[in-house]
Amino acid sequence: MTSLLTRISRPLAGVVAAAMLATPIAAVPARADQSDRIVFDVELRGIRAGELSINGKITEGAYGANGVLQTAGLVGFLRKIKFTASVSGLFADGRFTPLKYTEVDDAPNRDSRHEIIYNNGTPVSVSRVPPRKPKNRDVDPAKQGGTVDPLTALYAVLRDVPRDEACKLDVKMYDGARRSQVRLFDPKPHGKGLVCSGEYRRLEGFSEKDMKEKSRFAFTLYYDPSAKGGLQVDRIETDTIYGKGRLTRR
């Protein structure tokens, strides 16, 4: 299944890539209630290529998020591509547990809808319209307990966090066919904020070509103080197989 996050992590390979939390995740405590409006410009080789926006909310033991990734600038003029996604789930003790994830791929000659349904943190139904022919390398959904969907991952890493929670992440993600890992570590002061080292790693379900091309992508994530208190992600930078990649907050 081609996922929203995969679309970012391929050209920006590891930028945010992807990453992040679900029930069985070893997460740290987080604020109980919050709402976020997050917008990033996606740049490749210094050229604005896209826009990522996420609206998310955590309240009373539940969370929900909607996300849009679309081409922009000259790239958007030449080729219009748009991915929308939504997720709902439970939130307790600093952990995200997705219940239902839906993604719509709106691109020329490639309109499709993907859906993952969870039970107790494990995918129990993975579907695509039009149907996708399974591949031998696809990972078994029943063995993906403790992973999260792409949008939960993005929201978890890009939302505002208390300073003592920043740069603490080591999670697995499942996009309906592939399994990957993201780590944030080594926090260091950076102005009034922090800078983290990060790594995105392809684990299972990827083609031999993808694994041979590159299986690990290093990236750097920068936090600045948030107007609401705590820290917010200001930008993410990485060297991709296509050149310098960056997500910059608006």
Side-chain angles (χ1 to χ4, degrees):
M1 179 182 293
T2 302
S3 73
L4 177 71
L5 189 52
T6 300
R7 290 293 172 183
I8 296 176
S9 61
R10 274 185 177 276
L12 292 182
V15 172
V16 192
M20 303 103 242
L21 311 160
T23 263
I25 289 181
V28 291
R31 289 175 295 176
D33 298 303
Q34 72 177 93
S35 60
D36 300 272
R37 166 65 177 165
I38 304 164
V39 182
F40 279 83
D41 284 325
V42 181
E43 300 176 11
L44 189 61
R45 294 181 178 177
I47 299 173
R48 182 169 178 255
E51 177 185 293
L52 170 68
S53 61
I54 297 175
N55 288 317
K57 187 173 185 178
I58 300 172
T59 182
E60 298 181 353
Y63 79 98
N66 297 290
V68 178
L69 173 66
Q70 58 189 337
T71 52
L74 178 60
V75 175
F77 178 77
L78 297 174
R79 184 175 176 80
K80 293 191 179 297
I81 301 174
K82 184 177 182 180
F83 303 90
T84 60
S86 63
V87 65
S88 59
L90 305 177
F91 181 81
D93 299 324
R95 299 166 183 250
F96 291 85
T97 305
L99 295 175
K100 181 179 180 180
Y101 167 76
T102 303
E103 177 185 311
V104 177
D105 180 346
D106 183 8
N109 303 316
R110 198 183 63 231
D111 290 340
S112 62
R113 179 185 176 89
H114 312 275
E115 186 174 271
I116 304 176
I117 303 296
Y118 297 79
N119 183 23
N120 294 325
T122 299
V124 293
S125 173
V126 179
S127 62
R128 183 183 189 275
V129 178
R132 168 187 177 273
K133 184 178 180 180
K135 298 179 181 179
N136 292 334
R137 65 173 179 266
D138 291 350
V139 298
D140 182 358
K143 296 180 180 179
Q144 305 312 309
T147 61
V148 289
D149 63 274
L151 183 55
T152 296
L154 282 172
Y155 178 49
V157 74
L158 294 178
R159 71 192 181 101
D160 292 3
V161 295
R163 178 176 288 266
D164 61 359
E165 293 182 21
C167 306
K168 297 179 180 179
L169 208 59
D170 185 354
V171 298
K172 306 295 192 305
M173 187 187 73
Y174 172 65
D175 70 358
R178 294 162 291 204
R179 181 183 177 94
S180 55
Q181 177 186 30
V182 170
R183 295 195 305 132
L184 293 178
F185 54 94
D186 193 22
K188 294 180 180 178
H190 184 266
K192 295 182 180 181
L194 293 174
V195 59
C196 316
S197 296
E199 180 189 64
Y200 168 72
R201 181 184 299 185
R202 294 168 170 168
L203 297 178
E204 300 177 75
F206 293 87
S207 69
E208 183 177 342
K209 178 182 177 181
D210 283 342
M211 296 301 287
K212 187 175 297 185
E213 176 184 71
K214 200 169 186 180
S215 62
R216 298 182 181 184
F217 302 87
F219 62 95
T220 305
L221 184 150
Y222 296 85
Y223 281 107
D224 277 350
S226 167
K228 296 181 290 185
L231 297 176
Q232 66 179 25
V233 177
D234 175 65
R235 67 187 187 277
I236 301 173
E237 301 174 343
T238 187
D239 289 319
T240 81
I241 56 179
Y242 303 103
K244 295 282 187 180
R246 177 196 291 248
L247 291 179
T248 305
R249 193 182 197 106
R250 283 190 183 179

